[in-house]
Amino acid sequence: MTSIGIIGSGFGALAVAIELQRAGHTDLRLWERSDSIGGVWRDNTYPGAACDVPSPLYSFSFEPNPDWSSRYAGQEQILAYIRATADKYGITPLVQTGTEVVAAHYDEDSTTWTVRFADDTEQTVDVLVTAVGQLSQPVLPRIPGVDLFEGISFHSARWNHDVDLTGQRVAVVGTGASAIQFIPHVAEQAAEVVVFQRTPSYILPKPDQTFGHHYRRVLRHLPGALVGERATWWTFGEQFSRGLDDDSRVGKVIKTVALKHLQHKIKDPDLRAKLTPDYPVGCKRILFANTYYPAIAQPHVHLVTEAITEVTPTGVVAADGTVHEVDVIIYATGFDAQEFLESIDITGVGGQKLAAQWADGARAYLGIYVPHFPNLLVTYGPNTNLGGGSIIYMLEAQARHMRQAIDRLRSGSYRTVAVTPEAEEAYDREIQDQLGHSVWAHCDSWYRHASGRITSNWPGSTHPYAQRTKALEPDSFEWA
């Protein structure tokens, strides 16, 4: 029997665990550092937290949900869906909570992985799956004085719900996907909001809709309704992914709609100019929001586009010398998306460190398999993030491919599987060549490593990836 350890308990971990369990793999354990399952949807509890992918698509294909209250479900509903799915498929009892993985070492003699936890205990498994995701480690900006602020400060991914923002002067650092969701809520409470924007985003109107009782009843009882709804949004996502470039017809439509939305919502020409992107559409993440522009246009909300030079004990200093005195600072500065698995000391064949092998940017065959690291599988790994569509679709495709590899191990013919360096190098050249002709090559973003490599994103729509991972190609691997 092949023992399998999975790090994490979010969508990626569940996709793998359910796929393996349905295939008859019973020696499964999931290690979760928190006290409950849920991944990023457990951690991100800021006001207005929701997905910008329609819920019928941002869910497992094998577990459609007719009970979403709206097209774009909020954090609480998504978390409830994750936990209900884990319960239904028997995964919840397999999760060891409060178990933080800090290191994993491959033993060549026993062909096993020894996993060490923060409490210095260890467990050994035949196969190790990492499902920590790309957006799990929040980062603070490298600004002088961040630690000197005497007021209250926190990252949006670690929202401090004990803080009452009513009547407070609040600084928000960042205007990305999280910020545009919570800023309208902050603006409803705070006496003053100062929003520090480094780069404006293309923002599309969000086609949200409340699902009434009748609509949900149709989804429950009409044969094919749930499948048809999911297929419709999948098709839309595929077309959207193909339009992440000014030069494409779809890209031109996206840009036009985004700028018309801005023009309609922001009447002040100076503010509109500050909110207008000057880079190709799709170069940075395209956002969806209906309430952000009205919030930013309110008289007590101030948009600052000068860089922050310093944080003082009482406020934030901008590059033009203006000192913004505030009571609370909320950092919406994203995640450490480039340092894949940096928080875990992973050692492979011959003492090879994964961090050293990925020093110039993470890379993996199909985003899953890494040379010199047998029986190590990565879900939501390098070059599997998306500019459009649903990551859940990608996670399911990865899980199916992993299951094929592990099935061969279970058959008894082999104990280990590792991608060949040649197969990984050829795959990486192909992907990087495609990415070199993509819109993401035209500007800096969190999709790129400091070396210049685009390490986060998959080049295109999701269907080609699903086709690429549909069948295992045994010759691309070393079996032993």
Side-chain angles (χ1 to χ4, degrees):
M1 182 180 296
T2 303
S3 58
I4 304 157
I6 302 173
I7 307 173
S9 69
F11 270 115
L14 289 187
V16 175
I18 294 171
E19 178 70 24
L20 293 176
Q21 188 178 71
R22 293 166 81 184
H25 295 276
T26 56
D27 192 351
L28 298 171
R29 64 201 77 170
L30 288 76
W31 299 304
E32 171 53 56
R33 64 183 177 182
S34 183
D35 59 0
S36 60
I37 69 174
V40 296
W41 294 107
R42 175 200 59 237
D43 296 337
N44 286 266
T45 61
Y46 58 82
C51 189
D52 58 8
V53 176
S55 297
L57 186 57
Y58 194 78
S59 50
F60 290 121
S61 62
F62 55 81
E63 189 60 25
N65 178 23
D67 293 320
W68 298 118
S69 64
S70 61
R71 179 169 291 138
Y72 294 87
Q75 174 265 336
E76 291 185 357
Q77 283 196 33
I78 296 173
L79 180 59
Y81 172 83
I82 291 173
R83 292 177 173 172
T85 302
D87 288 344
K88 178 177 178 178
Y89 289 87
I91 305 302
T92 302
L94 307 179
V95 180
Q96 301 173 24
T97 57
T99 308
E100 181 179 2
V101 176
V102 296
H105 173 77
Y106 180 72
D107 186 276
E108 297 177 57
D109 294 329
S110 64
T111 65
T112 59
W113 282 93
T114 298
V115 180
R116 182 161 54 86
F117 307 100
D119 62 0
D120 282 334
T121 60
E122 295 181 342
Q123 294 184 38
T124 300
V125 291
D126 298 314
V127 175
L128 179 62
V129 179
T130 70
V132 300
Q134 295 187 25
L135 305 176
S136 60
Q137 295 289 341
V139 293
L140 295 177
R142 296 177 180 177
I143 301 172
V146 165
D147 295 332
L148 301 178
F149 184 64
E150 295 176 352
I152 298 170
S153 64
F154 53 88
H155 193 281
S156 62
R158 301 292 183 267
W159 195 271
N160 188 340
H161 292 277
D162 294 331
V163 178
D164 183 1
L165 298 178
T166 303
Q168 302 274 19
R169 298 170 300 172
V170 181
V172 177
V173 181
T175 55
S178 298
I180 68 167
Q181 291 184 339
F182 73 71
I183 283 174
H185 295 271
V186 172
E188 290 178 353
Q189 304 172 55
E192 180 183 8
V193 183
V194 184
V195 178
F196 291 89
Q197 171 191 276
R198 184 173 62 180
T199 308
S201 299
Y202 286 99
I203 301 178
L204 295 171
K206 194 171 186 177
D208 206 355
Q209 175 186 347
T210 299
F211 291 157
H213 173 72
H214 177 71
Y215 186 85
R216 295 198 298 270
R217 186 172 62 182
V218 169
L219 291 179
R220 284 193 204 96
H221 301 296
L222 182 65
L226 280 171
V227 174
E229 184 184 45
R230 180 183 178 87
T232 297
W233 285 110
W234 179 81
T235 301
F236 176 83
E238 295 295 276
Q239 295 302 318
F240 187 88
S241 297
R242 295 186 178 99
L244 300 180
D245 197 320
D246 264 339
D247 295 334
S248 72
R249 183 178 302 175
V250 176
K252 291 176 181 178
V253 172
I254 292 172
K255 182 174 183 178
T256 298
V257 172
L259 295 181
K260 288 290 186 181
H261 179 53
L262 171 61
Q263 184 179 24
H264 175 68
K265 295 292 185 180
I266 301 297
K267 302 304 181 184
D268 182 339
D270 292 333
L271 179 58
R272 190 189 309 143
K274 291 181 179 181
L275 292 166
T276 301
D278 62 356
Y279 54 85
V281 66
C283 194
K284 297 180 184 291
R285 182 174 175 179
I286 298 172
L287 307 179
F288 295 82
N290 297 328
T291 59
Y292 176 65
Y293 285 151
I296 210 76
Q298 294 181 83
H300 71 296
V301 180
H302 313 290
L303 183 67
V304 177
T305 57
E306 289 82 10
I308 297 174
T309 58
E310 180 186 4
V311 176
T312 71
T314 59
V316 181
V317 182
D320 62 359
T322 303
V323 180
H324 299 273
E325 300 286 341
V326 295
D327 307 303
V328 180
I329 302 177
I330 304 173
Y331 293 101
T333 45
F335 300 86
D336 193 353
Q338 288 305 315
E339 301 304 329
F340 287 79
L341 299 172
E342 185 185 49
S343 63
I344 304 173
D345 182 17
I346 300 179
T347 308
V349 172
Q352 176 71 20
K353 295 288 188 180
L354 184 62
Q357 187 162 314
W358 283 355
D360 292 328
R363 49 192 285 178
Y365 178 71
L366 302 177
I368 303 173
Y369 306 93
V370 185
H372 315 302
F373 290 82
N375 291 6
L376 175 69
L377 313 178
V378 183
T379 185
Y380 198 6
N383 296 120
T384 62
N385 187 60
L386 299 171
S390 173
I391 190 62
I392 311 300
Y393 186 88
M394 300 285 279
L395 297 176
E396 288 190 44
Q398 292 162 32
R400 289 190 293 269
H401 199 277
M402 292 181 191
R403 187 256 306 154
Q404 294 179 65
I406 296 173
D407 280 349
R408 286 174 67 91
L409 300 181
R410 184 177 59 178
S411 69
S413 302
Y414 309 100
R415 298 179 67 186
T416 66
V417 56
V419 66
T420 67
E422 295 78 14
E424 191 275 337
E425 289 171 7
Y427 175 82
D428 185 68
R429 283 195 302 270
E430 175 190 347
I431 297 302
Q432 291 301 317
D433 180 67
Q434 293 180 43
L435 288 167
H437 295 86
S438 73
V439 66
W440 299 310
H442 301 328
C443 66
D444 293 327
S445 69
W446 63 264
Y447 303 143
R448 301 183 67 152
H449 188 267
S451 65
R453 283 177 54 89
I454 302 172
T455 57
S456 292
N457 282 10
W458 167 254
S461 56
T462 61
H463 182 64
Y465 183 82
Q467 291 297 108
R468 190 71 175 263
T469 55
K470 187 174 183 179
L472 182 75
E473 297 179 356
D475 291 345
S476 296
F477 298 91
E478 297 171 341
W479 304 87

